[in-house]
Amino acid sequence: MTLHPLLQRWLPASERYRVALGALGLALLLGGCASPPPAYDYTAFRASRPTSLLVLPPLNDTPDIKATPGVLATATLPLAEAGYYVLPVTLVDETFRQNGLTSPNDIQEVSITKLREIFGADAAVYLRVRQYGTSYRVLGSETRVTVDARIVDLRNGQMLWAGSATASSQENQNNNQGVLGLLVTALVHQVIGNLSDASFDYAAIANQRLLGSPRRNGVLAGPRSPRYGQDRQGAE
């Protein structure tokens, strides 16, 4: 481990070794403290064995009115790829409209008994958008989407699974630029963000991380997935 130039200049050679060794030990100790989250308890999920899912329009905690449709548009694909039959979004939307429900808040308040009666799905996916949009600063910008989800059994009201995921434009951003380069990059991102909904692409990434399978502590594979038997045996 390389010491700060000032420490190298003023500390005797014998002390430099001790300080460097102590710093290295502290770094290893702190690194060892970082551990993955505990494994999710899938007991209820495995016992439920849902085969069909109803994805409800997401609640929107952000000021961006595009958050609900932006997240909903890409929420069903990862679940379908995970092996579930997912009711078509257009069919679900039209059914709610025919019954006078257009607000996600009102829709998510519908009883599980009524949802089961109308759609016949085994479980419902309740979504909530926590972050959606692009924030601009002098030397940069960030597009960030955060989505929460929970899956509830419509036959008995039991929660089967819950999770959260985030996707951000800064994850792979190269910050090794000069001030002029950062200003140009920020301007380009702002123009692109004003001309299109940049958050839509990150909503798709967040949904894949949240609802795709296999994922650590993620949604179990459905009956149409080759991993179905493996997941049901607890080999997560």
Side-chain angles (χ1 to χ4, degrees):
M1 176 175 290
T2 303
L3 294 178
H4 191 279
L6 288 178
L7 291 177
Q8 291 182 346
R9 178 178 179 183
W10 295 109
L11 283 178
S14 59
E15 291 296 324
R16 293 176 201 166
Y17 176 77
R18 293 176 56 188
V19 172
L21 188 61
L24 178 60
L26 180 60
L28 291 175
L29 178 63
L30 293 176
C33 293
S35 58
Y40 193 87
D41 183 359
Y42 288 102
T43 303
F45 205 148
R46 292 192 176 101
S48 173
R49 294 178 175 268
T51 62
S52 56
L53 299 177
L54 167 66
V55 179
L56 300 177
L59 300 179
N60 182 13
D61 292 345
T62 80
D64 195 326
I65 61 173
K66 299 187 297 294
T68 290
V71 169
L72 181 60
T74 56
T76 59
L77 179 59
L79 292 170
E81 291 178 338
Y84 293 94
Y85 171 72
V86 186
L87 275 73
V89 170
T90 52
L91 171 64
V92 173
D93 179 69
E94 182 60 26
T95 301
F96 280 127
R97 288 182 182 276
Q98 292 295 328
N99 287 273
L101 296 172
T102 58
S103 165
N105 297 75
D106 294 337
I107 290 173
Q108 292 204 15
E109 288 296 324
V110 176
S111 69
I112 61 170
T113 303
K114 182 61 70 173
L115 292 176
R116 172 75 172 168
E117 177 186 334
I118 294 175
F119 296 101
D122 295 332
V125 182
Y126 293 80
L127 300 170
R128 180 183 292 270
V129 187
R130 298 289 187 184
Q131 294 175 298
Y132 189 97
T134 302
S135 58
Y136 300 100
R137 298 176 293 277
V138 175
L139 296 180
S141 64
E142 179 189 17
T143 301
R144 174 179 288 264
V145 176
T146 299
V147 184
D148 297 347
R150 56 190 177 94
I151 298 178
V152 177
D153 193 319
L154 293 180
R155 296 163 293 191
N156 55 28
Q158 187 170 23
M159 189 173 75
L160 307 181
W161 175 86
S164 181
T166 297
S168 168
S169 61
Q170 288 194 338
E171 294 174 16
N172 299 312
Q173 198 171 83
N174 182 13
N175 293 322
N176 297 323
Q177 306 180 61
V179 174
L180 180 59
L182 290 173
L183 286 172
V184 172
T185 301
L187 178 60
V188 170
H189 287 169
Q190 183 169 358
V191 171
I192 294 176
N194 289 336
L195 294 177
S196 63
D197 182 11
S199 303
F200 182 84
D201 294 333
Y202 290 97
I205 297 173
N207 277 331
Q208 184 62 43
R209 292 173 177 173
L210 178 62
L211 303 172
S213 178
R215 290 286 189 275
R216 175 174 172 80
N217 290 343
V219 176
L220 293 182
R224 293 175 176 81
S225 168
R227 298 186 69 255
Y228 181 69
Q230 179 183 3
D231 277 1
R232 288 308 183 275
Q233 293 170 6
E236 264 299 289

